[in-house]
Amino acid sequence: QQQVRQSPQSLTVWEGETAILNCSYEDSTFDYFPWYWQFPRESPALLIAIRPVSNKKEDGRFTIFFNKREKKLSLHITDSQPGDSATYFCAASGPGNTGKLIFGLGTTLQVQP
Amino acid sequence: GPKVLQIPSHQIIDMGQMVTLNCDPVSNHLYFYWYKQILGQQMEFLVNFYNGKVMEKSKLFKDQFSVERPDGSYFTLKIQPTALEDSAVYFCASSLEGSDYTFGSGTRLLVI
């Protein structure tokens, strides 16, 4: 059973549009939700992260919206650029400070110029 | 920024042989991890390591797998013996406080 689910599996938007990537989770004890992006043949890199004390986290064109009650979050990328084309992974970890991350299957975003 | 180095970047090995994947984590980081990613799929947690000990391991971390970091040197993942299903990209990561990871660039392992 997938503990972290992402949708859609793939997404294509035009340059300048807003891309919305969705994520949901099962375990209500999860307390840290980072998003990683991964370009082909490269390692994943931390993009932005949120903890449940907030329902929104913004960093430039990237914003996480978090709904604790529904156990859902979404990543909004405004003014999408071709350079944003990558696979985006939602991840989650729980208390205990071991740092173990559970990753979703990813959303592959293609931004068309 | 600080980097996690993984050596080698690629490895082809005969089934049944032993392989050691090496990771040089960020120097002041305290938590170390191995993840396995099969082409086009999610990254799956294998093991984490702190203060010289395995903290947690997944069911993917078979008996043939072992990790160590002798005397603060490389953090290694050893597979002995290897199986065909071990073919994947193995990512090492490190973190200071057990949250924000720095990932290495991965070792692409092919078992034939």
Side-chain angles (χ1 to χ4, degrees):
Chain A
Q1 181 186 8
Q2 278 287 338
Q3 291 191 59
V4 176
R5 293 190 177 89
Q6 290 186 248
S7 64
Q9 184 176 356
S10 62
L11 176 65
T12 300
V13 299
W14 294 104
E15 183 174 356
E17 290 185 332
T18 296
I20 300 175
L21 289 66
N22 300 301
C23 180
S24 63
Y25 61 97
E26 296 291 324
D27 190 338
S28 56
T29 67
F30 285 154
D31 62 359
Y32 177 65
F33 301 90
W35 285 82
Y36 284 79
W37 56 351
Q38 184 178 27
F39 298 95
R41 293 173 298 283
E42 292 190 18
S43 57
L46 180 65
L47 177 61
I48 188 172
I50 194 168
R51 294 193 182 272
V53 292
S54 304
N55 56 19
K56 181 180 176 182
K57 177 78 175 288
E58 194 170 349
D59 184 356
R61 297 184 294 107
F62 300 91
T63 303
I64 299 174
F65 292 93
F66 184 77
N67 185 325
K68 187 175 181 179
R69 184 177 59 84
E70 295 187 11
K71 293 192 280 188
K72 290 181 179 178
L73 56 159
S74 59
L75 175 67
H76 292 225
I77 307 172
T78 56
D79 188 24
S80 297
Q81 302 296 309
D84 297 333
S85 299
T87 298
Y88 291 77
F89 291 101
C90 175
S93 69
N97 259 356
T98 69
K100 170 187 169 184
L101 284 176
I102 307 297
F103 284 85
L105 289 171
T107 294
T108 300
L109 173 67
Q110 186 74 29
V111 181
Q112 302 273 31
Chain B
K3 291 186 184 294
V4 172
L5 300 177
Q6 289 190 240
I7 302 165
S9 59
H10 296 77
Q11 179 87 51
I12 300 174
I13 197 159
D14 291 325
M15 183 176 64
Q17 295 291 308
M18 181 191 77
V19 68
T20 300
L21 309 184
N22 299 292
C23 172
D24 187 10
V26 176
S27 60
N28 63 334
H29 282 187
L30 302 175
Y31 296 83
F32 313 111
Y33 312 86
W34 284 103
Y35 281 77
K36 177 181 180 181
Q37 186 180 39
I38 294 173
L39 185 64
Q41 298 184 24
Q42 78 204 95
M43 272 181 304
E44 296 192 89
F45 171 80
L46 285 175
V47 66
N48 56 6
F49 192 86
Y50 170 75
N51 200 25
K53 292 180 290 195
V54 170
M55 298 177 68
E56 186 176 359
K57 54 187 179 181
S58 74
K59 61 180 184 296
L60 293 179
F61 194 82
K62 304 179 294 185
D63 291 342
Q64 299 89 321
F65 288 41
S66 63
V67 291
E68 63 176 355
R69 192 184 187 217
D71 300 323
S73 60
Y74 286 149
F75 175 51
T76 62
L77 173 65
K78 185 184 293 185
I79 309 174
Q80 181 179 27
T82 50
L84 295 177
E85 61 265 26
D86 297 330
S87 297
V89 181
Y90 290 83
F91 287 101
C92 174
S94 68
S95 71
L96 179 59
E97 297 174 333
S99 56
D100 298 342
Y101 286 11
T102 300
F103 276 95
S105 53
T107 293
R108 284 152 184 78
L109 176 66
L110 178 60
V111 181
I112 57 174

